[in-house]
Structures are given as C-alpha cells and as structure tokens.
Amino acid sequence: QNTSYNKYYYANFEGWTGTVGGQYKLMNQITGALSAETIEKYEIEGSVIRSTFSNGTVIEVNKDANTIKVNGAEINFADYNL
C-alpha cells in the first residue's frame, strides 16, 4: 500500500461522497438526454471547449472561468455541492 498513489486512497468514503454525488447530479443533468446522440462538432478556442451534438445541443466548458453552458444557459456549480 505504500506507493506514490497513497494520496488517492480513501478507506473512509465520508470525505468525498458529497462531491461525487454533486458531480454525478451535474453530469446527469447535462448529458442524460444525450446518451443516444453523437458529437457533430468539437471546437477548442483557448480555454473554451464547445461540443455540438446531433440533436442541436451545444455544451460549452470554459476551463478558466470554471463555467459550463448548455444551449447558452450557464450552470451554477453551487447547486451541486461543487
């Protein structure tokens, strides 16, 4: 067990269940309706990554601003314990 990966090991899950639950809830809201869709266009402009799906949904991630927009509507990370 004494490896360089020790910092990633948690025997007690209480320290991360809230974060993981929030991440799952967020990703499920964003991508849940896209499971049958394909990515038609993928663009990177600096810190902004934009994916356009076959049903017309556009997801834009701004890595510098820590924001996600779905069809122009910004998602508030605070709503997801993130």
Side-chain angles (χ1 to χ4, degrees):
Q1 183 183 26
N2 292 321
T3 70
S4 59
Y5 296 102
N6 282 356
K7 64 183 175 184
Y8 302 114
Y9 179 78
Y10 283 93
N12 185 346
F13 61 86
E14 292 175 1
W16 52 264
T17 55
T19 301
V20 171
Q23 290 171 348
Y24 174 80
K25 184 178 174 186
L26 171 63
M27 294 310 298
N28 191 48
Q29 177 188 337
I30 293 171
T31 62
L34 300 173
S35 62
E37 306 301 328
T38 58
I39 296 174
E40 300 294 317
K41 190 174 183 182
Y42 184 79
E43 306 166 272
I44 300 175
E45 297 175 12
S47 66
V48 176
I49 301 169
R50 189 176 303 108
S51 300
T52 304
F53 293 82
S54 54
N55 68 350
T57 299
V58 177
I59 297 177
E60 182 177 292
V61 177
N62 186 322
K63 296 188 299 182
D64 286 345
N66 290 324
T67 59
I68 298 175
K69 292 182 182 178
V70 179
N71 293 328
E74 190 166 300
I75 296 194
N76 185 353
F77 290 124
D79 294 340
Y80 300 90
N81 296 325
L82 302 177

